[in-house]
Amino acid sequence: MALILLVEDDRIITAALSRALTDAGHVVRAVGQAAEALRILTEEQPDLILLDLGLPDIDGTDALRMIRSVSDVPVVVATARRSETDIIHLLNSGADDYVTKPFSGGHILARISAVLRRYRSGVDEEGPGAITVGPLVISRKERRVSLNGEPLKLTRREYDVLTYLAERVGQVVSRRELMTEVWRQARIGEEQTIDVHISWLRRKLGETAAKPRLLHTVRGVGVMMVDPE
């Protein structure tokens, strides 16, 4: 069972999805505007957000970015957009998965179950202890990261990528491996998502691709974490 925040302004769709989710054992909080969703997100901490992009108050992609600025909650996006460019843009903006309209109740339930399974296994499998790479310390049990003794604020996905690389210091990891092992999916063409997250991580680590310290790009192969000490 999960608490699911359903963000959809169409009452007929809301009723149908709420019924399907409730019948599957989930608890549903349904709202029709992004602003209300953001308020509930901070107050009730849902397990997953099902987000429609065609909202009346805020563009769905902007709402997704706003959600990501305050929470790492898994987000499944419902969209009528089908082009590869649009889908890559959604995933780069913070979506964990997506469904294209029209979709069946069984389809959306399967997607939600898969995302929750990936998220919960990622949390449950974190071992005790910490990983130290130079000035970087990753406390796996608490899922906290510090750099030079100062805490780093990372999204869930940024944390997962950083930890995966830190566990393999000195090894080159391909974008496809990260997509398969961290995202648990391997859709062709979506490896660009990795580049975006690596760029975000570099910025938070205080380095650049031109002047790397921890994250080194191996051109044409992938990325490698290096212990600077």
Side-chain angles (χ1 to χ4, degrees):
M1 184 182 75
L3 172 58
I4 295 178
L5 176 56
L6 172 60
V7 190
E8 168 64 66
D9 66 319
D10 187 305
R11 293 184 179 181
I12 295 177
I13 295 176
T14 296
L17 285 174
S18 296
R19 189 180 309 112
L21 292 167
T22 301
D23 288 346
H26 300 300
V27 176
V28 180
R29 281 285 269 125
V31 297
Q33 296 189 343
E36 181 68 4
L38 289 165
R39 184 187 66 77
I40 291 175
L41 173 61
T42 59
E43 293 178 355
E44 300 188 22
Q45 298 181 335
D47 296 300
L48 181 140
I49 296 176
L50 178 55
L51 175 67
D52 178 64
L53 293 186
L55 300 173
D57 59 336
I58 301 174
D59 176 76
T61 305
D62 291 335
L64 177 59
R65 293 195 187 97
M66 294 169 72
I67 290 169
R68 277 290 162 258
S69 71
V70 298
S71 175
D72 295 330
V73 62
V75 178
V76 177
V77 169
T79 177
R81 305 170 192 176
R82 295 176 177 271
S83 75
E84 180 179 294
T85 300
D86 286 336
I87 297 304
I88 289 174
H89 181 61
L90 287 172
L91 293 170
N92 287 343
S93 296
D96 291 270
D97 204 347
Y98 68 93
V99 289
T100 53
K101 297 179 177 180
F103 52 81
S104 66
H107 185 178
I108 191 62
L109 286 172
R111 289 298 183 99
I112 286 173
S113 295
V115 169
L116 287 172
R117 196 161 53 243
R118 291 198 301 266
Y119 177 72
R120 287 167 173 169
S121 67
V123 173
D124 293 343
E125 290 173 5
E126 293 294 333
I131 305 172
T132 301
V133 184
L136 182 73
V137 178
I138 302 174
S139 300
R140 289 179 291 183
K141 188 174 182 180
E142 296 84 12
R143 289 180 67 88
R144 294 177 181 172
V145 180
S146 64
L147 182 69
N148 296 314
E150 296 295 324
L152 285 184
K153 185 177 180 180
L154 302 179
T155 66
R156 176 173 57 86
R157 191 69 78 195
E158 288 169 348
Y159 171 87
D160 291 342
V161 171
L162 189 67
T163 300
Y164 190 86
L165 294 172
E167 290 172 339
R168 294 159 180 80
V169 171
Q171 300 179 31
V172 180
V173 178
S174 69
R175 292 186 300 167
R176 177 54 61 89
E177 180 180 343
L178 284 171
M179 181 61 72
T180 302
E181 299 300 325
V182 178
W183 268 257
R184 302 294 183 184
Q185 55 187 273
R187 293 176 184 144
I188 296 173
E190 291 182 2
E191 296 93 333
Q192 295 177 43
T193 303
I194 303 300
D195 297 335
V196 174
H197 282 78
I198 294 297
S199 176
W200 289 341
L201 280 172
R202 281 196 171 112
R203 185 166 61 246
K204 293 181 178 182
L205 292 170
E207 59 185 65
T208 65
K211 294 183 178 180
R213 188 181 183 195
L214 292 168
L215 298 180
H216 292 247
T217 297
V218 180
R219 190 174 299 276
V221 183
V223 63
M224 175 174 61
M225 180 168 286
V226 173
D227 190 336
E229 301 178 359

